[in-house]
Amino acid sequence: MGLGWDETVYVSQVGSHAPAAFFSAPRARGVPLLVAPIASWSSSTALLRVYLAVLSGLGLFVALRVWRGLFPMRVLAVAGALFATLWVTLFYGPQAMPNYWVAIGALACAGCFLRAQADRFDRAALWGVGLSAALMAWMRPTDAVYVTLPLLFLVVCVRRWWRPRLLVALVAGLVAGAGEWVVEAYVSYGGLAQRLSDGSKIQGGLGWNIAVGDQMRSLGGRVLCRPCTGAMPAPPVMLWWFALPVVAVLGAVIAVKARRGVNSLLLLACAATAAFPYLFMIGYAAPRFLLPVYILLAIPAADGLIHLLTAPRGAWRPVAVTLVTLGLAGHLAVQFVVLERTVHGTTVSHQDWADTATELHRLGVKPPCMLTGYEGVPIAFYAGCSSVDTDGHNANTTAGAIVRAGQRIPVGVLIAPGEKPPAYARTWETHRVGHLMVYVAPAVQRGGAT
């Protein structure tokens, strides 16, 4: 499938295929460290995908294993199957992206929290709380805070939940995971407040913004819905999204009657706080944003489904089994149709970047080189060049610096159809590459294309 835009940014931080891309304020260093065991010595995308697929499967197993004893094994098995067969899980599990790992950390953290609260001498659970909180903060510090808000509230504000060591483990994990991000804020971004402000601007300005409709539009396979316009997906594509919270609430009611209600209610609370910023505070959508929500709802939803299968008696039981089975079969069919369509479209767009990079090499824009302009970040990675911008979210240089670089190394400016090149590049040699126009600096003109 090739690496996506965000993936090229993360992988370039530790790989040798291309210079490190600009690391904007909202990003954290968790993903570069996650991929470093492969990306630091190999440029093979297939090898990286296999590594991440295996790792993501192990992560899901460990996160579910934490809940053994808190829920019946059949509930955990069904929960794992529900989460693992969502198209968004299958699509992002093998990708160098942070949201899946926030989801794994969220599920493990909530489970270890309940274990540590029930047994103050359970050191393994305390370590689990700290490590899973660190994993979330390592990947996305702000997401980690939202996920753990219910845990912090319980351990601080509810007397019978008060466990000093549990609070220390939770806070220490968050601090350890976010520590590098905070230090980097002061070193490279003008301070923590400035980095948070810059991150908010890049995400469109965080504030009250109902993005429920945006998330619904992304369910059809739009990996980034920005701006999020156009028609809604077909009803069968969205049905599971509405059914999941309903069945999860049903499962929580069942759990309360079975005297394990606190477990399900905690999962629902963490899912609600994790979902809040992406449903009500951001002006665009991506399906991966809600992965932590889906995994937290999976266990109570599995509990609810099993109840629907086993509660009816007599002649009603075959009817219930048939209806639930047909519903799940239809759900799986929809998930895999959306997955196949999304993978196909993504593969085509990423191949366009690779083809553009190949053509740039033919024109003489070869490493060491520099690219700027439309889709410059991923195309630069594929071409082995550095990527720069003079404005926008990835601004990291000036027009003068680009002109000076163009006198020493191959520099290309990528222009989208209908757009005009910047003033400094208007006299440069022009080439059409696919649907783009490329303006090549004088250094390449003097050396000649090869």
Side-chain angles (χ1 to χ4, degrees):
M1 192 170 64
L3 295 179
W5 187 311
D6 293 292
E7 289 185 292
T8 64
V9 175
Y10 289 125
V11 173
S12 71
Q13 307 303 309
V14 294
S16 58
H17 175 72
F22 178 74
F23 210 71
S24 60
R27 302 187 188 276
R29 299 284 174 176
V31 174
L33 293 174
L34 181 73
V35 302
I38 299 297
S40 61
W41 60 272
S42 173
S43 61
S44 170
T45 301
L47 182 60
L48 182 63
R49 293 272 186 246
V50 171
Y51 161 75
L52 289 172
V54 172
L55 203 60
S56 61
L58 290 174
L60 178 58
F61 173 79
V62 171
L64 289 168
R65 179 66 177 77
V66 167
W67 289 84
R68 188 173 182 179
L70 299 173
F71 282 91
M73 283 293 292
R74 62 181 182 177
V75 171
L76 301 180
V78 172
L82 288 175
F83 179 70
T85 51
L86 292 177
W87 77 261
V88 64
T89 304
L90 289 165
F91 186 71
Y92 285 107
Q95 290 196 39
M97 297 292 279
N99 310 85
Y100 180 90
W101 297 100
V102 175
I104 295 300
L107 187 62
C109 188
C112 289
F113 180 89
L114 288 170
R115 287 185 173 278
Q117 197 279 332
D119 182 359
R120 65 181 64 191
F121 301 106
D122 191 340
R123 291 188 176 182
L126 285 174
W127 276 101
V129 168
L131 291 174
S132 52
L135 174 63
M136 288 189 287
W138 190 33
M139 295 293 171
R140 289 185 72 90
T142 52
D143 283 16
V145 172
Y146 278 105
V147 169
T148 56
L149 278 177
L151 310 184
L152 291 167
F153 173 81
L154 286 174
V155 78
V156 171
C157 301
V158 181
R159 175 173 294 183
R160 74 182 187 89
W161 286 78
W162 171 248
R163 296 285 189 275
R165 291 196 298 174
L166 181 54
L167 177 61
V168 169
L170 184 56
V171 173
L174 292 173
V175 171
E180 187 278 335
W181 195 83
V182 174
V183 171
E184 188 180 39
Y186 287 98
V187 172
S188 304
Y189 296 91
L192 181 59
Q194 186 62 49
R195 186 169 195 178
L196 289 170
S197 175
D198 291 346
S200 175
K201 290 177 182 177
I202 289 172
Q203 293 174 312
L206 297 181
W208 183 251
N209 186 88
I210 299 177
V212 177
D214 295 346
Q215 286 292 342
M216 291 168 60
R217 287 183 177 89
S218 75
L219 294 175
R222 297 176 65 178
V223 296
L224 181 61
C225 200
R226 186 179 189 179
C228 207
T229 56
M232 290 286 183
V237 173
M238 298 188 293
L239 181 61
W240 72 271
W241 201 71
F242 292 98
L244 179 61
V246 173
V247 179
V249 170
L250 172 63
V253 173
I254 303 306
V256 168
K257 293 181 179 179
R259 297 184 179 180
R260 57 172 184 269
V262 66
N263 301 345
S264 290
L265 292 175
L266 183 65
L267 286 166
L268 292 180
C270 290
T273 56
F276 182 82
Y278 291 116
L279 293 179
F280 302 107
M281 292 183 64
I282 192 169
Y284 65 100
R288 59 186 172 88
F289 290 163
L290 296 183
L291 274 169
V293 180
Y294 301 151
I295 200 171
L296 289 167
L297 293 180
I299 292 179
D303 216 0
L305 280 177
I306 290 174
H307 176 76
L308 291 175
L309 287 171
T310 58
R313 302 294 180 184
W316 286 106
R317 174 166 289 185
V319 175
V321 170
T322 301
L323 291 176
V324 172
T325 301
L326 289 175
L328 288 174
H331 166 71
L332 289 175
V334 168
Q335 295 303 305
F336 284 103
V337 167
V338 176
L339 176 66
E340 192 279 334
R341 186 168 56 201
T342 305
V343 169
H344 174 74
T346 304
T347 302
V348 170
S349 65
H350 293 181
Q351 186 59 47
D352 285 344
W353 295 338
D355 293 342
T356 300
T358 300
E359 185 64 16
L360 287 171
H361 287 172
R362 192 188 67 79
L363 295 174
V365 183
K366 299 178 180 179
C369 50
M370 179 186 291
L371 289 178
T372 186
Y374 183 74
E375 296 187 333
V377 173
I379 294 174
F381 178 85
Y382 278 80
C385 303
S386 61
S387 59
V388 296
D389 274 299
T390 57
D391 55 18
H393 302 326
N394 298 312
N396 60 348
T397 191
T398 64
I402 295 175
V403 171
R404 289 191 295 272
Q407 296 171 356
R408 298 179 288 104
I409 63 173
V411 174
V413 180
L414 304 168
I415 303 299
E419 299 293 328
K420 294 182 179 180
Y424 64 81
R426 289 174 185 169
T427 59
W428 293 2
E429 188 174 297
T430 309
H431 302 272
R432 177 172 290 279
V433 177
H435 65 288
L436 301 178
M437 297 301 297
V438 179
Y439 291 75
V440 180
V444 177
Q445 296 173 29
R446 289 196 300 268
T450 58

